[in-house]
Amino acid sequence: MNNAVIIKNISKKFGEVTALDNVSFNIRKNTIFGLVGPDGAGKTTLIRIMCSLLKADNGEIEFTGMNIKKGSRKIKNEIGYLSQKFSLYTDLTVDENIQFIADIHGVTDFNNRRDELLQFTRLKDFRNFQAGKLSGGMKQKLALACTLIYRPKIIFLDEPTTGVDPVSRREFWIILSGLLKDDITIFISTPYMDEAERFNYIVMMNNGHIISEGTPDEIKKALNMSVVEVVCSPVRDAYNILRKIEQADVQMFGDRLNIVFKGMGADETGIESILTENNITVTDIRKKIPSLENVFIELMKSKDT
Amino acid sequence: MNSIEVSNLTKKFGSFTSVNDISFSVGKGEIFGFLGANGAGKSTTIKMLCGILEPTSGDAMVSGFSISKDPESVKRNIGYMSQKFSLYGDLTVNENLNFFGGIYGLKNERLKERKSWALKISGLENKENTLTSTLSVGYKQRLALGAAVMHEPKIVFLDEPTGGVDPISRRKFWDLIHDISESGTTVFVTTHYLDEAEFCNRIILINAGILIASGSPAELKKEYIDNTVLEITCRETFAVIEKLIPEDFTQSVSAFGNSIHLILKSKFSPQDEELKIIKERIRKLTGDIGEVKIEIIVPSLEDVFLNLLEKRE
């Protein structure tokens, strides 16, 4: 009942390559719904099909409660799409870009909404800047403001924070969570697993198939693993030593290692003694709630990307 | 001798100063991280160091050549790779390597030898005739890096080489960076993934064209976050962050996935009474949102980066 979109048995081939193989899931209204997976998993293909920019070979997409007839052009005013590539006019100003998109969608009284969006995205001081002169984070915020000017019911964001710095990424997320108040549904794909932690629901894809889905908590629980995090040095030596132990997998996270145990038996004392025996300095060691990045690496491990 | 020696480098575009009087040096064989927010002046600096943009004032010696007086020699002695442009999609793997080898003036035996090396490190042996556009991003990035260092330059510049790349491919790419650095090549790299920056020997951070911090990852953490950092894992992270900001114990607070990192105003030992009181206050503040886990953690470079840049806003 509360679904915004129902995706049924979508398949798509490009020549011999199967990009999507019988993919089905539902997107609940007024949630942040996330699509994650390695490059080539089929994420962009799926988003383009959902935005009717690309035709599926098989299957159906139903936008519920939006009164969109199949093939109708009206869908373009109900959905917003933010592509991976910067798609604005670099020689138009911030204001002009928003006005242009409003015009295309037949919105005439956009002035108040534009002020509101510029306030919301903190771009007000830059409204007379040419879009080409904005920084990467600001460009993404402008693209989002353009998408929101015609009040779509659902927006599709294809890796909106790729190439965006950590401070701007966080700002972008605060803006997104604020949007939910406006009764919007947000569909988003990202290669950043820390961002995926904030999705209400996640579909994880690989090679055109869904390999896991649920809330972040459900996805973690399904894998039934426990994690020890250790900050130590030299970290690469520690990595090579721990890789040899059989009961766990080791993942490198910058200056620290995550040792992933199947089941709940994470053994930090065992790890610590192996490291000290090998003359590794351990600064900190603790049990940790598994992150989605831990899960992702475990699920993808077998696949050679 | 240093691999790169930057002195008072400045670039102005009209009245706008993109890079403002920065100086630093990069040692031979180092993995050197160049960090900053979008629009901080990173790309402008890299363009100058690669000899394709003339500085307004100041100079840099790259591999012994001046970027303002002898940019052509600079270009011949470096390798460059970015996420945005690297290879031709409509050429095969073999054709791309021939093309780059040709640009770098490699011939005959040397070309053959370097090509097989590039194929080996990118894991594309026996895939020479594959069309490059059909490779996954992970392979493309490794091949692009191989192509960029085919002529064995003393320095390679990598401009956001892993942007948009999934967690597993990113890790493989960094294994390769380590191999290249161990063979003696200096690696100058920019990234927005702060876990990757931890792998650098040294880092500089720029903001609005000005150098604001430099050092090894360990030095940066010690210098900029000596206080206790708490990780708070709970629901409704953004709402909790809003509540933590005005508290008198808060120095800075940021979202990290499904948890919050809170930098306190002083340094506590785990058994400190005052710390226990702060933890109690946090629990009270979060109210009725279910389980709240609070732990002392060792800060990461991402904590340092956020702390330094948010302070400046």
Side-chain angles (χ1 to χ4, degrees):
Chain A
M1 275 318 268
N2 282 323
N3 288 325
V5 191
I6 299 168
I7 289 98
K8 270 190 241 161
N9 311 107
I10 293 289
S11 294
K12 177 75 188 173
K13 274 189 179 182
F14 295 106
E16 290 300 295
V17 183
T18 304
L20 295 169
D21 189 11
N22 204 21
V23 171
S24 303
F25 57 89
N26 300 333
I27 302 173
R28 283 178 66 110
K29 230 174 237 171
N30 202 216
T31 55
I32 301 184
F33 185 100
L35 189 60
V36 300
D39 192 78
K43 301 189 302 273
T44 298
T45 306
L46 182 57
I47 291 182
R48 306 191 111 217
I49 289 174
M50 294 174 78
C51 296
S52 66
L53 294 167
L54 192 70
K55 251 183 121 115
D57 297 339
N58 279 304
E60 258 182 72
I61 292 180
E62 189 190 331
F63 287 83
T64 55
M66 283 190 212
N67 246 336
I68 296 165
K69 289 214 181 76
K70 220 175 161 181
S72 153
R73 283 187 60 81
K74 209 188 150 216
I75 190 173
K76 302 268 198 282
N77 295 331
E78 301 277 359
I79 67 173
Y81 171 55
L82 205 69
S83 84
Q84 269 178 47
K85 293 220 171 91
F86 182 61
S87 52
L88 302 167
Y89 292 89
T90 49
D91 49 350
L92 294 186
T93 65
V94 167
D95 263 358
E96 287 164 348
N97 265 295
I98 299 179
Q99 180 179 350
F100 178 74
I101 302 293
D103 286 346
I104 287 183
H105 288 272
V107 183
T108 45
D109 55 339
F110 56 81
N111 277 326
N112 286 342
R113 178 67 173 159
R114 181 168 65 187
D115 286 349
E116 212 174 279
L117 288 170
L118 289 178
Q119 180 79 38
F120 180 57
T121 50
R122 293 205 244 155
L123 285 173
K124 219 167 186 170
D125 294 344
F126 302 93
R127 61 190 313 160
N128 296 317
F129 275 52
Q130 283 187 349
K133 298 221 165 109
L134 301 175
S135 72
M138 286 191 210
K139 280 178 183 161
Q140 282 310 78
K141 289 194 291 182
L142 172 58
L144 182 65
C146 285
T147 306
L148 294 171
I149 192 73
Y150 56 94
R151 298 178 190 275
K153 301 241 169 54
I154 178 165
I155 53 173
F156 294 91
L157 313 174
D158 194 4
E159 298 195 8
T161 54
T162 288
V164 174
D165 71 71
V167 178
S168 308
R169 279 209 296 132
R170 283 169 171 80
E171 198 189 356
F172 196 80
W173 269 89
I174 292 169
I175 290 170
L176 281 188
S177 34
L179 274 181
L180 289 178
K181 286 180 208 122
D182 288 347
D183 210 23
I184 251 182
T185 305
I186 301 169
F187 183 97
I188 183 167
S189 74
T190 181
Y192 288 99
M193 293 302 132
D194 61 334
E195 296 186 345
E197 302 273 3
R198 306 211 188 96
F199 296 151
N200 299 109
Y201 198 88
I202 295 170
V203 161
M204 245 185 216
M205 280 182 64
N206 192 17
N207 286 332
H209 293 272
I210 293 177
I211 53 167
S212 183
E213 68 171 290
T215 64
D217 279 348
E218 285 165 358
I219 288 183
K220 291 173 192 174
K221 283 203 182 103
L223 235 77
N224 185 33
M225 59 191 212
S226 49
V227 178
V228 170
E229 177 166 284
V230 51
V231 184
C232 59
S233 99
V235 68
R236 263 181 197 265
D237 294 350
Y239 178 71
N240 288 327
I241 291 160
L242 292 175
R243 251 186 356 183
K244 288 179 200 131
I245 61 174
E246 271 171 25
Q247 57 274 41
D249 283 313
V250 193
Q251 302 171 355
M252 179 121 62
F253 284 79
D255 65 339
R256 53 203 71 196
L257 299 175
N258 280 190
I259 301 104
V260 179
F261 291 82
K262 196 94 199 102
M264 288 301 133
D267 174 18
E268 67 241 69
T269 21
I271 298 292
E272 191 166 10
S273 55
I274 293 172
L275 291 176
T276 13
E277 275 162 30
N278 285 282
N279 298 319
I280 306 279
T281 318
V282 176
T283 317
D284 188 35
I285 185 159
R286 62 184 183 123
K287 274 203 184 93
K288 192 191 94 160
I289 297 169
S291 67
L292 276 175
E293 189 148 339
N294 293 139
V295 171
F296 183 89
I297 296 172
E298 280 308 290
L299 283 172
M300 300 294 151
K301 212 175 41 191
S302 51
K303 189 197 170 235
D304 189 24
T305 48
Chain B
M1 194 187 75
N2 280 326
S3 201
I4 303 175
E5 193 78 59
V6 179
S7 351
N8 310 101
L9 196 62
T10 300
K11 181 71 194 179
K12 290 184 181 168
F13 297 103
S15 61
F16 176 69
T17 306
S18 172
V19 176
N20 194 352
D21 195 27
I22 62 173
S23 303
F24 60 90
S25 57
V26 182
K28 200 167 169 277
E30 265 191 325
I31 301 178
F32 188 86
F34 188 42
L35 309 182
N38 298 114
K42 294 196 301 291
S43 298
T44 308
T45 305
I46 290 186
K47 279 182 196 155
M48 289 192 281
L49 294 181
C50 290
I52 51 176
L53 186 69
E54 208 185 327
T56 309
S57 61
D59 199 0
M61 299 300 282
V62 175
S63 199
F65 301 100
S66 156
I67 58 162
S68 56
K69 295 183 193 81
D70 195 2
E72 291 312 312
S73 298
V74 170
K75 282 179 215 167
R76 268 196 300 276
N77 283 281
I78 59 164
Y80 171 84
M81 178 217 154
S82 86
Q83 198 256 326
K84 283 164 204 143
F85 170 78
S86 35
L87 301 162
Y88 292 95
D90 49 356
L91 296 185
T92 64
V93 169
N94 190 40
E95 287 164 343
N96 262 303
L97 291 177
N98 279 336
F99 177 78
F100 281 94
I103 285 184
Y104 298 133
L106 304 183
K107 283 185 198 118
N108 309 326
E109 269 312 298
R110 176 106 197 283
L111 177 63
K112 221 170 128 189
E113 186 191 306
R114 293 303 291 164
K115 264 167 66 180
S116 64
W117 174 84
L119 288 171
K120 191 171 161 241
I121 59 149
S122 50
L124 287 168
E125 283 162 313
N126 306 320
K127 294 209 173 116
E128 292 93 329
N129 297 317
T130 311
L131 206 58
T132 307
S133 61
T134 63
L135 297 173
S136 76
V137 170
Y139 278 117
K140 260 188 224 159
Q141 299 300 85
R142 293 198 290 275
L143 179 63
L145 179 54
V149 296
M150 259 176 100
H151 56 309
E152 298 177 87
K154 297 197 176 71
I155 305 169
V156 63
F157 290 88
L158 308 174
D159 193 3
E160 284 183 40
T162 54
V165 174
D166 70 68
I168 296 180
S169 303
R170 288 205 290 124
R171 284 167 171 77
K172 284 191 181 160
F173 191 85
W174 271 88
D175 286 340
L176 199 54
I177 291 183
H178 277 274
D179 292 346
I180 286 170
S181 145
E182 267 163 28
S183 72
T185 302
T186 305
V187 179
F188 187 98
V189 60
T190 72
T191 181
H192 287 311
Y193 292 96
L194 275 293
D195 59 335
E196 296 182 349
E198 304 265 8
F199 298 140
C200 297
N201 304 110
R202 269 183 333 120
I203 289 165
I204 61 169
L205 177 60
I206 66 167
N207 189 42
I210 295 166
L211 198 151
I212 58 170
S214 69
S216 70
E219 284 164 359
L220 288 174
K221 285 175 213 168
K222 204 168 163 28
E223 183 164 356
Y224 296 101
I225 308 188
D226 204 25
N227 296 346
T228 300
V229 182
L230 295 178
E231 181 178 81
I232 305 166
T233 312
C234 60
R235 286 176 206 282
E236 294 169 41
T237 44
F238 287 124
V240 174
I241 286 174
E242 287 302 313
K243 286 182 185 165
L244 287 168
I245 290 170
E247 291 299 316
D248 56 11
F249 51 72
T250 301
Q251 185 190 322
S252 83
V253 54
S254 309
F256 274 74
N258 63 339
S259 56
I260 297 165
H261 288 189
L262 169 67
I263 305 177
L264 298 175
K265 280 195 179 137
S266 1
K267 189 172 186 166
F268 299 103
S269 74
Q271 297 314 319
D272 215 307
E273 272 311 309
E274 217 179 317
L275 181 67
K276 281 180 192 157
I277 294 167
I278 290 174
K279 282 186 180 178
E280 264 325 296
R281 282 177 59 193
I282 294 170
R283 279 180 206 285
K284 246 184 214 155
L285 219 70
T286 52
D288 198 18
I289 56 162
E291 202 193 343
V292 178
K293 193 176 167 198
I294 308 174
E295 276 185 300
I296 294 183
I297 56 160
V298 178
S300 66
L301 267 182
E302 189 147 344
D303 292 294
V304 176
F305 186 94
L306 292 170
N307 190 30
L308 274 167
L309 290 186
E310 279 170 352
K311 234 192 276 174
R312 276 165 195 271
E313 277 192 350

